[in-house]
Amino acid sequence: MLLLKDLLNLPLPKQKAAASEAFIRGVVAQRAHKSDEEIAEMELAVTVTGVMHVAAMREAREGRVEAELAGLVEGLAVANGGNLSYPVILSVDGQILHNHYHGNILEKGQLVLGDFGAETAMHYAGDITRTFPVNDHFSNKQKEIYQIVLDAENNAIASLKPGITYQQVHLNAARQMADGLKALGLMKGDMAEAVAQGAHALFFPHGLGHMIGLDVHDMEDLGEQYVGYTDNVHRSTQFGTAYLRLGRALEPGFVLTVEPGLYFIPELIDQWRRKKMFTDFINYDALKKYRHFGGVRIEDNVLITKTGHRVLGEPIPKTIEEVESIRMGG
Ligand code: GLY
Ligand code: MN
Ligand code: MN
């Protein structure tokens, strides 16, 4: 920016408005389609990221401080020849999104949500989330929520192919998780209507994913609307779905994240209850037992191919059995 200031005699505050939209669109069109060389680099980023996640899953114990695990995974990113692709999120307070506080001591009964990734020496990013119990096993209550998120993630991934809009994939995942919450008695009524009105966002207040590449939220510095939306697919204005960073139809060569989550955010629950929001769809009394549950998110990085999709990197444990096996020393 300082160089541009000198070359163009353009003060810093005026630079953004003077940018060429045609040039931005050209850069996005080129960078949105990853070449074979880029995809190989991203496979490497995700594979290193998997090593980091398995290490955190193995080393978590009651009495350890979150920062010990955050330091461990950062060290592994560096040791494998790269660095972190964004500041580590690793917390027993998974319900606090983008939470970089690492001062909690792990206690039995809690869930640890780890959202972190490696960036390769060539600066391609991985962005993976896994959630696991401090105990060796998930409790039944944790299993129920975890399985809803896992099923939504697997189904969303299975549906990925050229032509489908990511906005639709997001809404399908929201609907599926709402159905799961209804089966547990936490939501009620007509779930199609609940999702249309945005009631699910109490539990899923973020987007299903974003493009990833040289940046973890790829190219968004150029303007999120150029990356995630088109003249035909517009960003929703509804709380929750409005935060979906990628809504447009998918094309071969796109690499994106799939990251559904369910969270129990006491402050948001209290606020919505006080305002009597969506009382036809949310069973506030049943939520009392989930006040200290935390959150579950599961995130993978997926390439859109000509005929479908491919999950990048070596598989990272994510079924309940796989995660518990690592927790028990597997
Ligand atoms: N790690 C930030 C995100 O998942 O978007
Ligand atoms: Mn993430
Ligand atoms: Mn992400």
Side-chain angles (χ1 to χ4, degrees):
M1 285 173 87
L2 289 175
L3 182 62
L4 285 176
K5 176 173 172 285
D6 287 342
L7 289 174
L8 303 175
N9 196 21
L10 201 59
L12 300 187
K14 297 216 166 135
Q15 285 186 8
K16 204 160 188 167
S20 156
E21 186 177 323
F23 185 64
I24 290 174
R25 288 186 187 276
V27 170
V28 170
Q30 194 269 329
R31 278 181 55 181
H33 302 90
K34 272 59 178 177
S35 67
D36 290 347
E37 294 80 3
E38 291 180 292
I39 291 162
E41 199 65 16
M42 297 192 72
E43 296 265 16
L44 175 64
V46 177
T47 293
V48 173
T49 300
V51 170
M52 294 156 64
H53 276 274
V54 170
M57 263 182 220
R58 281 219 171 94
E59 294 301 322
R61 307 253 183 295
E62 178 189 18
R64 286 216 165 139
V65 182
E66 293 162 342
E68 294 177 64
L69 299 175
L72 169 71
V73 302
E74 179 163 356
L76 284 169
V78 174
N80 280 279
N83 215 316
L84 289 175
S85 48
Y86 52 93
V88 170
I89 298 166
L90 189 148
S91 180
V92 293
D93 283 325
Q95 80 284 2
I96 304 175
L97 304 182
H98 285 255
N99 171 14
H100 299 295
Y101 175 74
H102 296 138
N104 293 306
I105 296 171
L106 273 50
E107 292 174 19
K108 280 221 148 76
Q110 291 176 321
L111 287 172
V112 179
L113 185 154
D115 179 348
F116 45 82
E119 144 179 315
T120 65
M122 289 179 70
H123 302 290
Y124 283 85
D127 176 11
I128 299 289
T129 305
R130 290 291 184 268
T131 307
F132 59 85
V134 174
N135 296 24
D136 287 350
H137 291 82
F138 290 92
S139 69
N140 283 337
K141 196 168 164 188
Q142 289 168 343
K143 271 187 191 166
E144 287 171 345
I145 299 293
Y146 188 92
Q147 194 64 45
I148 294 172
V149 177
L150 182 59
D151 289 345
E153 202 233 11
N154 282 330
N155 283 337
I157 292 173
S159 73
L160 296 179
K161 59 179 182 194
I164 191 167
T165 69
Y166 208 53
Q167 200 168 50
Q168 189 59 54
V169 181
H170 169 94
L171 290 172
N172 293 348
R175 170 65 196 274
Q176 197 188 339
M177 291 197 288
D179 284 341
L181 292 171
K182 181 176 172 180
L184 291 181
L186 300 177
M187 293 190 78
K188 58 185 177 177
D190 178 347
M191 287 303 98
E193 197 47 40
V195 170
Q197 293 188 26
H200 64 281
L202 178 62
F203 308 99
F204 176 41
H206 62 73
L208 188 65
H210 49 86
M211 293 242 196
I212 180 168
L214 277 173
D215 298 325
V216 66
H217 291 170
D218 205 24
M219 305 170 281
E220 288 180 7
D221 286 351
L222 298 171
E224 222 175 296
Q225 75 278 14
Y226 300 117
V227 180
Y229 290 88
T230 62
D231 295 340
N232 300 323
V233 184
H234 300 281
R235 184 188 282 270
S236 162
T237 54
Q238 187 183 75
F239 175 79
T241 305
Y243 310 127
L244 179 61
R245 318 174 89 98
L246 172 65
R248 65 195 274 197
L250 304 181
E251 297 175 16
F254 284 11
V255 180
L256 47 93
T257 70
V258 181
E259 48 181 307
L262 287 174
Y263 313 88
F264 295 86
I265 307 168
E267 298 79 3
L268 194 60
I269 294 170
D270 290 348
Q271 188 195 79
W272 281 31
R273 183 172 197 154
R274 219 171 27 247
K275 292 186 179 170
K276 300 193 172 33
M277 302 227 334
F278 299 121
T279 48
D280 287 347
F281 301 128
I282 294 166
N283 193 347
Y284 285 104
D285 282 341
L287 281 182
K288 285 182 189 151
K289 289 206 185 82
Y290 286 78
R291 207 171 166 79
H292 302 293
F293 183 94
V296 173
R297 180 165 63 254
I298 305 171
E299 176 175 22
D300 284 300
N301 303 160
V302 185
L303 166 72
I304 306 302
T305 62
K306 283 200 177 80
T307 51
H309 62 270
R310 188 171 90 235
V311 179
L312 294 184
E314 293 292 320
I316 305 166
K318 74 175 172 179
T319 65
I320 288 173
E321 296 72 25
E322 287 165 352
V323 171
E324 289 185 343
S325 159
I326 299 282
R327 294 295 298 128
M328 290 185 293

